[in-house]
Amino acid sequence: MQTRILATSDSAETGPEAEPAKGAPKPSIKQALLAAVFAAAIVTIILLAFSWPTVTSEPKDLPVAAVGDQ
């Protein structure tokens, strides 16, 4: 089986230390913090949506039965 090289790179550096492509935007700290705050807000809203009925519910008109030996 033959090996075909589809793309080559001028630099031998790869991985996290590699430079981003020239046209790619560089991620910023502001964008990362905004994404983290947005994710935390969504999780908080979902948590409140599931816990609110537990906090506000109360028993109403439930039948009571006494069971046991005489």
Side-chain angles (χ1 to χ4, degrees), residues 37-53:
V37 168
F38 182 72
I42 295 297
V43 168
T44 302
I45 289 170
I46 291 172
L47 180 67
L48 286 174
F50 279 96
S51 65
W52 187 255

Side-chain angles (χ1 to χ4, degrees), residues 1-65:
M1 179 185 265
Q2 293 181 343
T3 303
R4 294 172 45 191
I5 298 175
L6 299 177
T8 60
S9 135
D10 292 332
S11 67
E13 195 173 340
T14 59
E17 299 86 19
E19 291 292 322
K22 292 187 179 185
K26 189 175 181 182
S28 68
I29 297 295
K30 184 178 177 182
Q31 288 176 337
L33 288 176
L34 184 63
V37 168
F38 182 72
I42 295 297
V43 168
T44 302
I45 289 170
I46 291 172
L47 180 67
L48 286 174
F50 279 96
S51 65
W52 187 255
T54 305
V55 172
T56 60
S57 66
E58 58 184 40
K60 295 180 185 176
D61 300 325
L62 294 176
V64 177

